[in-house]
Amino acid sequence: MEAFQKIHPLEFYRKFLQRSVRPDGRSLNDIRKTSISTGAITTACGSSFVKIGNTSVICGIRSEVGIPSFENTDQQTNIFVNLELGPICSNIYSSTKPSEQAMSLSSKLNSLVKRLDIPKEDFYFDQEGKVLWYLYVDIYCLDYDGNIMDASILALISSLKNVKLPRGIIENTNEYYKDTEQLRSLQINHYLFPLSFSIIEDFILSDPSNQEEQLSTSNLTITLNENFEICLLSYSGIKPISETILQESFEKLKNRIEYLKSLIDSAQEH
Amino acid sequence: MTNTRNDGRLNNQIRAFESEQSLLNKADGSARFTQNKSSVLAAVYGPIEVKNSRKQKILKSLIEVSFTPSVGNTTYLDKEKELLIKNALESIILTTLHPRTQISIIFQVFSDDGSIISCAINAACLALLDAGIEMQGLIGSVTLCYNHDKSIYLDPTAQEEKECKSLSVIAYGSQSSQIIMNKTEGTLSMDLYFKSLPLSKEACDKVISYIKLAVKNRIMGTISTNTTSTTIES
């Protein structure tokens, strides 16, 4: 049977999918066991570790103090996200230059950060905001078994909720001190709830594994916030998608939102 | 409906199209697609030998897209655009006809005034037709922006893209009424999203019928084609 899986992976999958089950024992809508923990990196100002089945990502946030430039202040962002898919997570990635997939994911994550509506005042180093905190979010994939999008979005939101910034004191205009006794967290007004799907022929698989992603003809990722508003929707693939499938996918994610919310919240309590 | 947009267009009015084909000598196919101040040149080379043999695909041809902005170096944002365009085009090109080959599609932006991804996809469709690459059908793309007051602007300018609440790039094929590619960013209620789908479908049909007209003109001998701006009723 292993040989059959290696030589004809698609035919192998089709035999399973026709019976509405996947080779790893899940049904088409089943999502692998998801776990989130925070605060693993003590030297970072916020961190999280997310595991979806065998996919695991670690996320750390580094903070820097900087003076904002006063040009187009509306467009400025204080959070920069970078996702790294290194050779450690899978043999398809090389260490030399970031893959296209990593770049595209990074840009999606950077746009999602803006959906969190974090007030500007939260980044103030001092009282007036002459000097600001800048946060650099680094997400590393340790083990790649599909659905990196969901894992990295969950890692991003839970590590941002974990951020503790010290109070800043400025003396003599250019001497900066940190008061590590007084820590504060960011005020994050929204949640992000992601769910990805892979479409293999006519079957829609929630939370695809690595092999399922490779066999799939199209991929769909939806991210909603707690008000059921779309934050990110990306669909691309060889086969077109119908409106009804989109609507069904939204329903599947809606059913999962409560669970994800409790998962993100309970990860903060330790 | 009143004209509330800066350039005097109606909410559901797309800018006039203008296109020119076969303007490059060396390329197998090329086209320029212009929507007022947004203009993209697309060149197609292929099917050619795969340059990076590691990327070669045994059963189908490799699609390579490179997108150069009008100013500055390519950033990760342009990489993301490349990937979106590549995904959209892969679904209409019959890649299985030429295994172990490569089809390169190169974009040069002349000027960017919003809806640039849509503009590039439409240019690519014309360029692919010009190069004679076998396709399943035609592809048309349109950008929509959703504003804070729940109004929807079709084919937004750069200014409108900046001010809007969320932005959606969508592509439809001429074969079916299903979505080929979609990327929606920003907060947007699901109702409004599904309400806007027929509108975008209608707009993409307009783009496709324009592409058909441009190809017809090309065969008759005129290289460039243009239309006036049209209003989309869904």
Side-chain angles (χ1 to χ4, degrees), chain A residues 107 111 230-231 233 235 240-241, chain B residues 80 83 179 182 184-186 188:
Chain A
S107 83
S111 92
I230 302 168
C231 292
L233 185 149
Y235 174 79
I241 193 170
Chain B
E80 153 111 74
L83 217 60
I179 301 161
N182 179 218
T184 307
E185 265 183 351
L188 168 66

Side-chain angles (χ1 to χ4, degrees), chain A residues 53-115:
Chain A
N54 285 329
T55 301
S56 51
V57 296
I58 191 154
C59 171
I61 300 181
R62 183 161 52 93
S63 59
E64 268 177 26
V65 178
I67 299 164
S69 62
F70 285 96
E71 299 157 32
N72 56 17
T73 38
D74 294 343
Q75 289 294 311
Q76 260 178 17
T77 121
N78 290 61
I79 304 175
F80 304 92
V81 190
N82 181 41
L83 177 91
E84 203 109 343
L85 294 170
I88 195 167
C89 66
S90 168
N91 59 0
I92 48 177
Y93 301 110
S94 74
S95 56
T96 46
K97 64 171 186 188
S99 66
E100 271 183 7
Q101 195 195 357
M103 283 200 212
S104 143
L105 281 170
S106 297
S107 83
K108 281 181 185 138
L109 291 170
N110 272 309
S111 92
L112 275 175
V113 163
K114 292 182 195 137
R115 305 285 90 81

Side-chain angles (χ1 to χ4, degrees), chain B residues 155-166:
Chain B
D155 188 20
T157 60
Q159 180 71 17
E160 286 165 343
E161 276 186 4
K162 218 186 216 171
E163 287 165 0
C164 73
K165 201 175 164 204
S166 64

Side-chain angles (χ1 to χ4, degrees), chain A:
Chain A
M1 189 160 112
E2 256 178 51
F4 180 51
Q5 182 180 9
K6 285 234 160 72
I7 299 165
H8 290 297
L10 191 60
E11 188 56 41
F12 175 81
Y13 256 87
R14 199 178 289 136
K15 287 265 190 294
F16 278 94
L17 296 178
Q18 277 162 356
R19 289 166 181 78
S20 302
V21 72
R22 297 197 240 179
D24 55 6
R26 288 190 281 160
S27 76
L28 299 187
N29 294 331
D30 267 358
I31 291 152
R32 289 171 290 180
K33 189 172 174 286
T34 310
S35 63
I36 305 173
S37 62
T38 55
I41 310 170
T42 46
T43 48
C45 69
S47 64
S48 67
F49 180 75
V50 174
K51 221 167 146 54
I52 301 179
N54 285 329
T55 301
S56 51
V57 296
I58 191 154
C59 171
I61 300 181
R62 183 161 52 93
S63 59
E64 268 177 26
V65 178
I67 299 164
S69 62
F70 285 96
E71 299 157 32
N72 56 17
T73 38
D74 294 343
Q75 289 294 311
Q76 260 178 17
T77 121
N78 290 61
I79 304 175
F80 304 92
V81 190
N82 181 41
L83 177 91
E84 203 109 343
L85 294 170
I88 195 167
C89 66
S90 168
N91 59 0
I92 48 177
Y93 301 110
S94 74
S95 56
T96 46
K97 64 171 186 188
S99 66
E100 271 183 7
Q101 195 195 357
M103 283 200 212
S104 143
L105 281 170
S106 297
S107 83
K108 281 181 185 138
L109 291 170
N110 272 309
S111 92
L112 275 175
V113 163
K114 292 182 195 137
R115 305 285 90 81
L116 293 172
D117 281 345
I118 304 174
K120 245 187 190 146
E121 293 74 29
D122 276 21
F123 295 106
Y124 286 3
F125 179 77
D126 55 339
Q127 301 301 319
E128 299 110 61
K130 280 180 192 152
V131 185
L132 298 179
W133 282 109
Y134 288 90
L135 301 181
Y136 295 87
V137 184
D138 282 295
I139 304 173
Y140 285 87
C141 180
L142 300 178
D143 214 341
Y144 188 94
D145 192 19
N147 205 0
I148 184 76
M149 190 72 200
D150 287 14
S152 47
I153 292 173
L154 288 174
L156 173 71
I157 176 96
S158 38
S159 65
L160 279 173
K161 279 186 178 282
N162 184 241
V163 164
K164 294 276 184 302
L165 289 175
R167 201 173 70 98
I169 304 157
I170 303 178
E171 273 175 20
N172 306 334
T173 64
N174 54 4
E175 284 175 31
Y176 303 151
Y177 297 104
K178 283 189 286 188
D179 182 2
T180 41
E181 300 279 288
Q182 295 185 43
L183 296 171
R184 59 184 166 88
S185 7
L186 294 174
Q187 187 196 333
I188 297 168
N189 293 323
H190 291 291
Y191 283 86
L192 296 173
F193 304 114
L195 188 57
S196 298
F197 303 87
S198 271
I199 299 164
I200 302 179
E201 288 172 354
D202 292 325
F203 305 101
I204 295 128
L205 286 74
S206 317
D207 180 29
S209 71
N210 188 19
Q211 200 186 11
E212 286 159 0
E213 272 182 4
Q214 273 165 15
L215 291 173
S216 69
T217 46
S218 348
N219 288 298
L220 170 69
T221 294
I222 310 172
T223 303
L224 294 179
N225 65 12
E226 71 284 355
N227 304 325
F228 300 140
E229 286 173 322
I230 302 168
C231 292
L232 176 80
L233 185 149
S234 101
Y235 174 79
S236 59
I238 315 237
K239 267 196 170 170
I241 193 170
S242 70
E243 217 172 293
T244 38
I245 293 179
L246 269 179
Q247 247 149 0
E248 280 167 21
S249 312
F250 275 115
E251 288 308 314
K252 282 175 196 162
L253 174 55
K254 270 187 180 174
N255 295 333
R256 193 172 148 78
I257 280 183
E258 274 308 308
Y259 172 70
L260 281 176
K261 192 173 178 187
S262 67
L263 209 63
I264 295 170
D265 285 340
S266 63
Q268 300 302 327
E269 284 160 14
H270 313 297

Side-chain angles (χ1 to χ4, degrees), chain B residues 3-233:
Chain B
N3 301 18
T4 45
R5 295 171 75 164
N6 285 340
D7 52 2
R9 273 187 291 158
L10 295 171
N11 288 359
N12 53 351
Q13 193 172 13
I14 43 180
R15 287 173 284 184
F17 304 130
E18 210 181 307
S19 74
E20 210 176 324
Q21 290 171 83
S22 324
L23 20 69
L24 299 177
N25 286 327
K26 284 283 177 196
D28 293 314
S30 58
R32 196 177 75 178
F33 196 87
T34 309
Q35 282 172 287
N36 198 6
K37 278 181 202 155
S38 286
S39 181
V40 180
L41 173 70
V44 174
Y45 291 88
I48 51 173
E49 200 182 322
V50 185
K51 281 172 195 156
N52 184 348
S53 55
R54 248 183 45 181
K55 285 185 183 166
Q56 178 175 291
K57 287 182 180 166
I58 300 165
L59 292 175
K60 50 187 182 179
S61 49
L62 173 79
I63 310 284
E64 205 182 60
V65 171
S66 85
F67 184 93
T68 322
S70 53
V71 282
N73 291 327
T74 47
T75 60
Y76 69 94
L77 290 172
D78 298 311
K79 282 279 169 213
E80 153 111 74
K81 284 176 194 156
E82 269 176 25
L83 217 60
L84 276 177
I85 297 167
K86 185 181 142 191
N87 280 324
L89 296 178
E90 255 181 347
S91 56
I92 57 151
I93 298 173
L94 293 169
T95 48
T96 42
L97 280 179
H98 306 283
R100 293 174 195 267
T101 60
Q102 173 177 334
I103 297 170
S104 299
I105 303 150
I106 296 110
F107 296 96
Q108 172 64 57
V109 178
F110 283 165
S111 60
D112 179 356
D113 189 23
S115 315
I116 203 73
I117 300 176
S118 298
C119 205
I121 291 174
N122 299 338
C125 184
L126 270 173
L128 285 165
L129 284 167
D130 190 43
I133 306 274
E134 294 86 348
M135 295 194 283
Q136 287 180 19
L138 302 176
I139 185 171
S141 172
V142 76
T143 304
L144 275 80
C145 81
Y146 305 86
N147 299 310
H148 293 273
D149 60 351
K150 290 190 176 171
S151 61
I152 304 167
Y153 286 174
L154 262 177
D155 188 20
T157 60
Q159 180 71 17
E160 286 165 343
E161 276 186 4
K162 218 186 216 171
E163 287 165 0
C164 73
K165 201 175 164 204
S166 64
L167 195 71
S168 170
V169 186
I170 194 160
Y172 281 91
S174 60
Q175 294 295 83
S176 64
S177 60
Q178 297 184 330
I179 301 161
I180 284 182
M181 185 275 287
N182 179 218
K183 189 188 169 208
T184 307
E185 265 183 351
T187 42
L188 168 66
S189 73
M190 277 158 57
D191 289 344
L192 197 62
Y193 174 73
F194 284 108
K195 222 177 79 185
S196 70
L197 285 181
L199 187 72
S200 48
K201 167 75 183 136
E202 200 59 40
C204 286
D205 284 347
K206 275 277 184 309
V207 174
I208 290 169
S209 56
Y210 169 77
I211 290 173
K212 281 180 185 162
L213 177 77
V215 172
K216 204 168 142 194
N217 284 352
R218 171 84 186 92
I219 295 166
M220 302 302 277
T222 34
I223 291 169
S224 60
T225 308
N226 50 39
T227 59
T228 51
S229 101
T230 34
T231 317
I232 309 296
E233 303 290 346

